[in-house]
Amino acid sequence: MREQKAKPFITGTIGLFSGKARCGECGYVLRSGKRGEWRFLTCPNRSVSKDACRGAFISVSRLESKVMEELKRLAENYLDQEALEQGIQWDKEYEKQKNSVANRMKFYEKKILDCKKALRALYLDQVRGILTEEDYLDMTRAFSVEKKRLEEAMKICKEQIQEIEERKKAGGNGKELVEKYIHVEHLTREMVEALVDHVDVGRRISGSRDVPITIYWNF
């Protein structure tokens, strides 16, 4: 499964976040790009249409830094035995992840409803003779494709929520994973595979350099 999702570069190596970073706007897996020695991740759906997705963009080095910062922050709580026994911190983390996905689902639900309304309106225009059969088919095709894309995104969100629930029930291996990797300075592909299920990368906040991310850990 990893070989199918994570495509190697021409050199044969697999990118640090290959198959792991997703667009927080539409759910698509981010595509790797390179300018000189500078590597970045961007949403491929943005190139399809400006209306398809607002897009996500982040440098690999910055995403690595954010993941390391979050790992160290969590370690301070996770390695606190009292907090670990109470389970309070990790309940909050799971709820944070679920809320992020739930908000994205609400956005998709609204877009799907808009597509359905547009399709109904076009059908009525065709029945009334306002649109020709050919124009009707051309116009409905785009809305139908968009509706299918959004429904696929909704399906991914439902699977993500189920994954979060399963990780919450399983628990138990987080302390060992964090202790194993907490003292390293840089991420490796092995660490990303072990620690990270996936990362949602949002659109840069206007007027700042801040890019919101949500990390879904494997523990």
Side-chain angles (χ1 to χ4, degrees):
M1 288 176 65
R2 288 173 183 168
E3 288 174 355
Q4 291 173 357
K5 291 182 180 180
K7 297 181 180 179
F9 298 133
I10 297 175
T11 58
T13 60
I14 295 177
L16 189 61
F17 294 102
S18 181
K20 292 285 187 177
R22 301 177 185 174
C23 177
E25 296 287 326
C26 67
Y28 273 52
V29 174
L30 297 186
R31 180 183 297 164
S32 177
K34 185 178 180 182
R35 294 175 186 169
E37 295 302 315
W38 183 61
R39 289 196 176 276
F40 60 87
L41 299 167
T42 186
C43 179
N45 205 21
R46 175 67 172 172
S47 61
V48 175
S49 167
K50 290 183 178 179
D51 296 328
C53 178
R54 296 195 305 162
F57 182 95
I58 192 170
S59 69
V60 173
S61 60
R62 186 150 192 217
L63 183 55
E64 177 188 5
S65 176
K66 281 180 169 284
V67 172
M68 288 297 294
E69 286 175 7
E70 184 69 5
L71 180 61
K72 289 177 180 178
R73 183 187 71 80
L74 292 179
E76 293 177 358
N77 295 300
Y78 217 147
L79 301 182
D80 182 332
Q81 191 60 36
E82 183 179 354
L84 183 61
E85 289 173 355
Q86 292 175 354
I88 295 174
Q89 178 63 29
W90 288 100
D91 282 343
K92 290 181 180 179
E93 291 298 329
Y94 289 126
E95 286 305 311
K96 177 183 175 183
Q97 293 176 2
K98 285 178 64 177
N99 289 338
S100 176
V101 178
N103 288 334
R104 199 160 70 240
M105 287 180 70
K106 289 179 182 178
F107 172 78
Y108 294 147
E109 285 174 350
K110 181 180 181 303
K111 289 294 184 181
I112 290 172
L113 183 60
D114 290 341
C115 285
K116 289 180 178 179
K117 288 180 179 178
L119 288 168
R120 282 198 297 268
L122 288 172
Y123 174 75
L124 291 175
D125 285 346
Q126 194 266 339
V127 170
R128 293 166 183 161
I130 299 174
L131 291 175
T132 65
E133 181 73 16
E134 184 179 358
D135 288 340
Y136 169 73
L137 292 175
D138 285 342
M139 296 177 73
T140 55
R141 189 175 294 111
F143 283 110
S144 296
V145 170
E146 175 67 1
K147 179 172 170 288
K148 183 178 180 180
R149 184 188 69 79
L150 291 166
E151 288 171 344
E152 285 294 324
M154 281 285 290
K155 181 181 177 181
I156 291 173
C157 287
K158 290 177 181 178
E159 290 173 352
Q160 288 176 357
I161 287 181
Q162 185 177 354
E163 289 171 1
I164 293 168
E165 290 291 351
E166 289 173 356
R167 288 201 301 273
K168 183 177 180 180
K169 290 178 181 178
N173 68 328
K175 186 173 185 293
E176 290 76 11
L177 281 171
V178 172
E179 286 180 327
K180 181 178 179 180
Y181 295 113
I182 188 56
H183 297 298
V184 299
E185 293 298 322
H186 294 283
L187 287 176
T188 64
R189 180 66 191 182
E190 177 192 2
M191 289 176 61
V192 174
E193 289 283 7
L195 295 169
V196 180
D197 180 77
H198 70 279
V199 183
D200 280 350
V201 180
R203 182 178 172 84
R204 181 176 60 83
I205 298 173
S206 180
S208 74
R209 295 183 66 252
D210 188 30
V211 177
I213 69 167
T214 303
I215 304 169
Y216 296 84
W217 303 100
N218 280 328
F219 49 86

